[in-house]
Amino acid sequence: MISSADLTKPHTWFPFARAMKRKIIYHCGPTNSGKTYNALQKFMEAKKGIYCSPLRLLAMEVFDKVNALGVYCSLYTGQEKKHVPFSNHIACTVEMVSTEELYDVAVIDEIQMMADSCRGYAWTRALLGLKADEIHLCGDPSVLDIVKKICSETGDELYEQHYERFKPLVVEAKTLLGDLKNVRSGDCIVAFSRREIFEVKMAIEKHSNHRCCVIYGALPPETRRQQANLFNDQDSEYDVLVASDAVGMGLNLNIRRVVFNSLSKYNGDKIVPVPPSQVKQIAGRAGRRGSRYPDGLTTTLQLEDLDYLIDCLKQPFENVNKVGLFPFFEQVELFAGQLPDISFAHLLEKFGENCRLDGSYFLCRHDHIKKVANMLEKVQGLSLEDRFNFCFAPVNFRDPKAMYHLHRFAAQYSIKVPVSIAMGMPKGSARNDAELQDLETKHQVLSVYLWLSQHFKKEIFPYKKKAEEMAIDIADLLGQSLIKACWKPESRQGGNPRPQQEEDGHERHKGDGYRRPNSLVKIYEK
């Protein structure tokens, strides 16, 4: 059992990449420093290149940008494949990268995500397995040391290029003093729960002349992009953005000032301070070279949060000493041979207990995979590989409606009949928060259907075109709904209920309470 769950020396899993003498260039720096721009220039100059993105949204953005500049580029994400004739370039989500193809140049964006507890394995796989002469890594300095260690094991040459922000990020010592009437055009108010986002939007629109766009994680990429375009448009009346931490990466936004509504969030278990690395990533989105707000400002709504913001921005990036791994299906299959007749969820649990890892790696969390595996346990007729693939579908396991549809898709698949969408289209935009949540769920179900249609035989999921059309229409309805949203948000059904403590005003970091003598405090990101 232990030998079949051996995840040591993962660099040896990719013999063809090891046979190459790869050149790794680490573009290391904070947000708004030009690191990704420089890496993309190399990508576009290459005869054959691939760009690996942390988000569908960012892959779509690069796909559009590169094609507009005359470089033929295709798009591969978990939900869609857009093949552009004669293209030698691909923009893809990092999970979709091929380690079989040979490339001249590869770009892996947000390389620090290797340390992510759930998705880190995808970045690790890309770094270890890509067959490219030149690999450009873009990210902050947190994983630089571990990348050096990995390159010494793989035999690749590592070159470092360090960047500073084009203009320093400046902290405004005069906060909003707890009053949202003090927002100004170009502000992005960051809140860490869906409920707070809508409460902030309503308060701003009620007590000022500003109109708000909204961006948060449950929205489809198309809706987020539409909201971003509306906010960026100088001729639009929507001059304030209210967003979750989803604003931290993936969108080009003309933000003048990032204002933190609070600096604590619910982590699924309790209220905790927002980690400094995340504060830096979000605050750094203020100011963008070439936009009408090239100088970036940041501050807080409450005076007592200001000191924590300043402390976060002063802190150096914390060195990461372990990055994520997850076994391939073949490794799970080999392990399953040692344990016949146990459930797939139990099999994954046993694998986690018995797997061996080098000191540089950890096994990525797979709670969501186990939850889906448990739900599908009573579906007969699924092979081990089918179960493995279904468990990676991008479903929100806290949403019972979404889980119901995934179960139905698996049940139909298991009896070898064409899998139907079987979901009605909404009649119009949302009139209340429950209807808005229903639109979000419907879009997510369609996203799961599209993902499954890419990972299983096409004839089993024959309604891909219909699902794409419905998804576009629902993303459109979500955009319309957000523009006119003026209702009190409800707790998401089936989601993790946030404790009363957060709803009524949770504990925040207490500042020293004094007003700083200078109106501005400059923070240079090191």
Side-chain angles (χ1 to χ4, degrees):
M1 276 172 65
I2 289 170
S3 64
S4 60
D6 189 352
L7 298 185
T8 56
K9 298 185 173 58
H11 61 281
T12 61
W13 302 349
F14 305 95
F16 291 107
R18 295 296 71 78
M20 297 175 72
K21 188 71 177 171
R22 304 184 310 171
K23 181 180 174 184
I24 313 283
I25 300 98
Y26 197 126
H27 300 266
C28 183
T31 49
N32 197 27
S33 59
K35 57 187 189 296
T36 307
Y37 172 84
N38 286 341
L40 284 173
Q41 294 304 112
K42 296 292 184 184
F43 163 75
M44 289 190 287
E45 288 164 12
K47 284 184 180 175
K48 187 175 182 183
I50 187 163
Y51 167 77
C52 308
S53 160
L55 298 168
R56 282 176 66 201
L57 189 60
L58 200 48
M60 289 156 67
E61 210 167 80
V62 168
F63 166 76
D64 289 341
K65 179 182 176 180
V66 169
N67 279 298
L69 291 170
V71 177
Y72 297 142
C73 180
S74 295
L75 175 71
Y76 293 170
T77 75
Q79 285 78 359
E80 65 199 318
K81 280 191 180 178
K82 287 184 182 175
H83 180 69
V84 173
F86 313 111
S87 66
N88 286 323
H89 290 70
I90 293 169
C92 69
T93 43
V94 68
E95 281 87 355
M96 294 296 288
V97 65
S98 167
T99 55
E100 303 299 316
E101 288 286 320
L102 196 61
Y103 302 100
D104 296 311
V105 170
V107 176
I108 308 175
D109 210 351
E110 304 291 353
I111 188 65
Q112 71 275 2
M113 290 285 287
M114 290 172 82
D116 185 76
S117 62
C118 296
R119 291 178 67 204
Y121 68 89
W123 278 263
T124 305
R125 173 180 165 269
L127 176 59
L128 293 175
L130 265 166
K131 294 195 291 187
D133 296 321
E134 217 172 87
I135 300 178
H136 293 260
L137 312 177
C138 304
D140 67 39
S142 60
V143 293
L144 179 56
D145 286 348
I146 193 93
V147 167
K148 283 180 186 173
K149 190 176 177 187
I150 288 169
C151 287
S152 70
E153 292 169 348
T154 58
D156 297 317
E157 292 179 85
L158 178 65
Y159 299 85
E160 298 172 37
Q161 290 186 13
H162 291 268
Y163 298 77
E164 296 294 331
R165 275 182 70 95
F166 292 121
K167 292 207 172 180
L169 183 64
V170 175
V171 174
E172 271 193 335
K174 188 184 178 189
T175 67
L176 269 60
L177 303 173
D179 193 344
L180 288 167
K181 288 178 189 170
N182 293 324
V183 298
R184 302 203 292 270
S185 290
D187 280 354
C188 171
I189 317 298
V190 177
F192 291 97
S193 76
R194 189 179 181 281
R195 182 189 181 93
E196 275 184 81
I197 286 168
F198 282 101
E199 284 174 348
V200 168
K201 171 184 158 66
M202 283 171 60
I204 291 171
E205 292 186 340
K206 185 177 177 182
H207 299 296
S208 73
N209 294 322
H210 298 290
R211 300 295 302 277
C212 300
C213 294
V214 174
I215 292 173
Y216 54 92
L219 294 175
E222 298 83 356
T223 309
R224 284 193 243 177
R225 183 190 267 189
Q226 178 252 354
Q227 292 287 296
N229 291 341
L230 201 57
F231 172 69
N232 286 342
D233 184 358
Q234 278 182 276
D235 299 324
S236 145
E237 59 182 326
Y238 294 86
D239 60 341
V240 171
L241 178 64
V242 186
S244 72
D245 49 0
V247 81
M249 62 173 78
L251 282 164
N252 282 322
L253 294 159
N254 297 332
I255 298 171
R256 186 180 63 85
R257 179 175 66 168
V258 167
V259 180
F260 288 90
N261 192 56
S262 76
L263 279 165
S264 1
K265 67 174 184 176
Y266 182 62
N267 69 356
D269 181 36
K270 58 186 178 184
I271 305 293
V272 294
V274 180
S277 59
Q278 197 176 10
V279 172
K280 287 164 78 112
Q281 176 95 10
I282 295 166
R285 298 310 303 274
R288 186 159 68 93
R289 195 183 193 189
S291 79
R292 66 182 185 273
Y293 302 123
D295 302 297
L297 303 172
T298 185
T299 190
T300 57
L301 175 66
Q302 307 289 349
L303 182 62
E304 60 261 33
D305 284 332
L306 186 64
D307 283 339
Y308 183 62
L309 172 63
I310 292 168
D311 288 344
C312 288
L313 297 181
K314 280 180 177 173
Q315 282 184 37
F317 285 96
E318 201 174 320
N319 269 358
V320 164
N321 50 26
K322 288 190 179 191
V323 295
L325 273 186
F326 201 76
F328 300 143
F329 167 69
E330 291 76 10
Q331 291 166 310
V332 173
E333 188 178 36
L334 183 67
F335 184 75
Q338 314 297 316
L339 289 166
D341 306 322
I342 68 163
S343 73
F344 185 54
H346 193 200
L347 180 74
L348 288 172
E349 211 171 283
K350 284 287 181 191
F351 190 99
E353 289 168 8
N354 288 277
C355 77
R356 290 194 313 185
L357 294 151
D358 290 336
S360 301
Y361 300 94
F362 65 84
L363 185 68
C364 281
R365 280 178 58 185
H366 45 284
D367 321 16
H368 64 296
I369 297 174
K370 285 195 280 189
K371 282 188 169 67
V372 176
N374 276 324
M375 180 191 71
L376 297 180
E377 198 49 51
K378 290 181 181 173
V379 178
Q380 301 297 312
L382 293 177
S383 69
L384 186 69
E385 189 170 9
D386 291 338
R387 291 186 190 280
F388 187 84
N389 287 330
F390 267 102
C391 285
F392 277 92
V395 66
N396 177 3
F397 64 80
R398 294 193 183 98
D399 188 332
K401 288 180 187 172
M403 289 290 270
Y404 161 77
H405 282 283
L406 179 61
H407 185 277
R408 188 174 57 76
F409 294 157
Q412 287 185 312
Y413 173 87
S414 71
I415 57 173
K416 306 290 186 288
V417 299
V419 178
S420 62
I421 299 169
M423 188 179 71
M425 268 295 290
K427 293 183 172 65
S429 58
R431 292 164 298 180
N432 53 51
D433 197 53
E435 288 186 4
L436 185 69
Q437 289 185 20
D438 189 54
L439 285 175
E440 290 167 13
T441 295
K442 278 184 160 62
H443 193 281
Q444 201 210 120
V445 170
L446 293 166
S447 182
V448 168
Y449 188 94
L450 290 169
W451 189 92
L452 293 169
S453 73
Q454 297 274 57
H455 292 77
F456 290 92
K457 290 179 181 173
K458 288 177 185 174
E459 56 270 25
I460 301 291
F461 291 88
Y463 306 109
K464 182 185 172 189
K465 190 76 183 162
K466 177 71 176 166
E468 284 173 343
E469 290 166 1
M470 288 173 72
I472 290 167
D473 290 344
I474 289 176
D476 222 32
L477 289 174
L478 274 163
Q480 294 170 33
S481 305
L482 292 174
I483 284 168
K484 63 184 186 184
C486 57
W487 51 75
K488 188 177 178 183
E490 300 166 7
S491 294
R492 176 175 276 283
Q493 186 188 2
N496 256 345
R498 293 188 309 282
Q500 198 63 33
Q501 183 190 11
E502 189 190 15
E503 310 243 333
D504 295 339
H506 47 264
E507 278 190 19
R508 293 192 172 92
H509 259 264
K510 299 293 187 288
D512 50 19
Y514 66 86
R515 186 74 57 83
R516 293 173 188 277
N518 302 324
S519 61
L520 296 175
V521 181
K522 281 195 175 183
I523 301 293
Y524 294 84
E525 286 193 353
K526 299 296 181 190

